[in-house]
Amino acid sequence: MTTPPNPMDRPRRRSAVESVFLAPEVVVWDSYRQRPHHFNPSASAVWMCLDGELTPEEIAAELGEVFQTPPDAILADVHDAIEQFAGLHLLETAHDHDPQSDLVGGSLPILPPPPECQTCGGGTPTVWAGTIDVEAGGYRVAVGYDSDATAAALRVRCAAWSSAEPTGVEPAFGVSAAKVGLRRRQVGVVHHGTAIRHRLESVEAAVEVVGSFLDELSVERPEHQVAVESRVVIRDGRVALLVIPPSTDLDDRPLRRVGISELPTIRPLLDPATGTLTIAGTDHRLERVVVAPAESLDDARRQVFVRGDGPWLQWAEYIDRLGEKLVWRHDASDLTALLDEALSGETPSSPE
Amino acid sequence: MTPAAEVSSRRHVASMCIGGVEFVIGTDDPEVVEAIDAHLGDFGSPDIRSDTGVAATPTVFVVDRIGPSWTIPTWAVTHGGELLFTSSNVQLIVRDLLSEAVRCMRRATTPRTVPVHGAAAVRGHRAVVFCGPTHAGKSTLVAWLVRRGWSFLSDDITLLDTNDEAATVVHPFPQPILVRGGGPIEVILGRTESQALSWIRASTIGSLGRAAPLAVLVFPSYSPTAETQLSPRSAARTLTEVSELLPFVDGDGSDEFRALADVVTRVPSYALPFADLAAASVLLEALVDGLPADGIPTPSEETL
């Protein structure tokens, strides 16, 4: 049996990536993730050579000739640029050539992990035993698992969705089992990209959070609701959206000491007109939006903005009207104290 | 019943023009009429209508009260007898109608008219679009320019029509403007409003403008310590920033990206750090007045 060629030996730009050359730079549009990337002139020169025909060494030789530089002097830069492009999922992978035509969703967009995980690699990537790839809500969604037992639980919960062609990128979600505490109690862990999102009482509970997300993704969202990629905490019925870097591992023990708990959800729905937050079919009144760290009030507003996906007019207006609901801090070192103050019922102070 | 017959049976009929496409809204409910007038009134103004590009048959929406005020939902919006959405909030009904109209307009125009996040104003039939993040000073600058005699095109969402190969056309999108009590726009308008936030109709700032060819893209950034100046920006940077914050994307967004790539290669773009509105407007007026007579500049070397 012959080993299939590794696409990274002769890297090729993904066909779903649109390139525009505006000398001396290139701007690309990643249609999977619906976002642009702007490359500096040297990265742009490498990008234009990635036609799937040339090896990195041949690219270095070609560029060396153009820029009259010894190829050896630029080979490392070529490799760096290719790695960066691969990290942004702009290059074809082995999965792109996988002839699994019986699986659905080959042309569907991949549900991406949180943006921070794609670019700066926030958090530590988990090595998954495998992935379950399903088609839900018009996306291909990969869910990583750590063991056969987790995979079995996931397969049962995900049975309602069609299997999809493997995404070939790091999974948007993952579920694993972990032992915590002196008694080595087993918990279920929900991963969102490279970040740990929730630690719950069992693997089944963690699987349920991912399953609920797929449910929500598959149902057409009411026009007036915004999907918010933020954590949600609650105390005495008071609910706050917590906008923190996705790679932040929110330790729930100190939070529990002050009576705060995190609601297990990945993408709650917010009605910007009424401030009603809907999680797993239950409505909550949103009291605060807490952002940390933020450089300024404007930065805090921007962070809230990028976490929301929904009707533009209402969402933009909601951000403008946040007023006292918005609480932000320069640093996120003491989230417990910050949330304790935010959910105290009194108007919290802000740095500006 | 045909859409035309359906709307003609309603007591109140409002029309609006978005991206050169005509819409008609019919209702019997005075509360809806009031909300439409406050939020969409300027879209029906004859001042924003151009002589060309208007679709012959308007798209018709009907808003009906489906129960007394305590029922949820209270109102329903239909199009050709098909239910589009319902709500118990009349403000939301009106805003959703606007979003729906933008979607219809985009389906009706080929290649699509691209909505971008930005404000726009016209001087001498040359449109200037102000792009950039929230709180960069776009709305304040446009309000100031309109008070100085420019015509208002848009505040938050700007429609770029790339149908004509010779020029990108900027269509009016006169949504109401959100004004902060004591904020710069209130100062410019000479208002003293006690409310923290209030909506004002665009036409209260100054005259509304008709569709005009895009002459320049400007990226303002207000800072009290900035040295007010215009400096060319690269087309690549402009394309990245404009496509980062697309308010409406149909499909995978590549159509919008290609259209914007075409725009940034034809039209120069400038950064405008400013501390002083008067100085900024003098620079902008000199820039626009110095453009070729047809209003379409040749991209300078710096912009390529």
Side-chain angles (χ1 to χ4, degrees), chain A residues 4-351:
Chain A
N6 181 355
M8 294 310 285
D9 292 344
R10 294 176 192 275
R12 184 196 297 270
R13 302 181 290 268
R14 264 187 200 278
S15 57
V17 177
E18 189 93 25
S19 305
V20 176
F21 182 58
L22 298 164
E25 297 160 314
V26 165
V27 183
V28 302
W29 177 257
D30 178 355
S31 47
Y32 277 161
R33 292 166 183 77
Q34 301 197 343
R35 68 176 53 162
H37 297 283
H38 177 190
F39 305 144
N40 64 27
S42 7
S44 299
V46 177
W47 176 257
M48 299 307 279
C49 295
L50 302 180
D51 56 3
E53 303 289 324
L54 302 176
T55 63
E57 290 72 19
E58 288 165 341
I59 292 169
E62 197 155 292
L63 294 178
E65 205 170 298
V66 173
F67 296 113
Q68 298 182 335
T69 312
D72 291 348
I74 54 174
L75 183 58
D77 291 339
V78 171
H79 278 296
D80 282 353
I82 290 171
E83 257 176 47
Q84 277 187 29
F85 299 144
L88 294 168
H89 311 298
L90 301 175
L91 302 180
E92 285 192 353
T93 67
H95 295 289
D96 292 321
H97 303 287
D98 221 349
Q100 301 192 48
S101 54
D102 54 326
L103 298 174
V104 301
S107 59
L108 291 175
I110 297 168
L111 186 80
E116 284 77 357
C117 304
Q118 296 165 35
T119 49
C120 71
T124 311
T126 305
V127 179
W128 297 106
T131 61
I132 288 177
D133 301 86
V134 295
E135 187 266 312
Y139 286 99
R140 280 188 287 160
V141 187
V143 186
Y145 58 80
D146 63 334
S147 66
D148 289 347
T150 309
L154 273 170
R155 280 199 188 93
V156 170
R157 185 62 176 84
C158 296
W161 293 281
S162 309
S163 296
E165 188 178 324
T167 60
V169 300
E170 79 263 21
F173 300 101
V175 176
S176 66
K179 306 268 191 200
V180 297
L182 290 173
R183 294 184 184 173
R184 309 298 294 154
R185 180 170 56 91
Q186 179 164 298
V187 295
V189 183
V190 180
H191 303 250
H192 189 197
T194 54
I196 287 178
R197 188 64 182 255
H198 297 293
R199 284 194 184 80
L200 300 165
E201 66 274 15
S202 63
V203 168
E204 286 71 22
V207 166
E208 183 51 36
V209 171
V210 175
S212 299
F213 174 79
L214 294 175
D215 288 340
E216 186 266 306
L217 200 62
S218 307
V219 175
E220 199 171 332
R221 192 171 66 222
E223 286 261 340
H224 60 279
Q225 284 185 330
V226 173
V228 191
E229 290 212 353
S230 300
R231 324 280 280 255
V232 181
V233 291
I234 185 166
R235 178 165 71 185
D236 301 334
R238 291 174 183 280
V239 167
L241 274 182
L242 181 55
V243 181
I244 54 178
S247 53
T248 307
D249 187 3
L250 193 62
D251 188 353
D252 59 350
R253 281 166 301 183
L255 287 178
R256 266 195 253 122
R257 271 183 228 125
V258 292
I260 296 173
S261 54
E262 185 180 7
L263 291 175
T265 176
I266 287 167
R267 203 155 67 152
L269 299 175
L270 175 69
D271 181 344
T274 60
T276 305
L277 200 63
T278 305
I279 297 168
T282 305
D283 289 347
H284 304 267
R285 185 171 162 69
L286 183 61
E287 295 274 341
R288 297 275 184 261
V289 178
V290 180
V291 186
E295 288 172 12
S296 62
L297 177 61
D298 282 352
D299 180 41
R301 284 165 174 274
R302 269 195 292 274
Q303 290 196 42
V304 178
F305 195 85
V306 299
R307 295 299 204 284
D309 153 34
W312 168 272
L313 299 172
Q314 292 153 31
W315 183 229
E317 186 192 327
Y318 180 74
I319 308 281
D320 270 334
R321 288 184 169 186
L322 273 173
E324 287 181 353
K325 272 190 183 173
L326 181 64
V327 182
W328 64 277
R329 291 288 182 274
H330 288 299
D331 78 286
S333 56
D334 194 353
L335 283 173
T336 305
L338 174 55
L339 291 174
D340 191 24
E341 186 190 351
L343 292 172
S344 65
E346 290 168 14
T347 305
S349 58
S350 279

Side-chain angles (χ1 to χ4, degrees), chain B residues 276-298:
Chain B
D276 177 4
L277 283 165
S281 56
V282 167
L283 287 176
L284 285 166
E285 283 166 9
L287 175 71
V288 174
D289 293 346
L291 292 172
D294 60 1
I296 311 303
T298 308

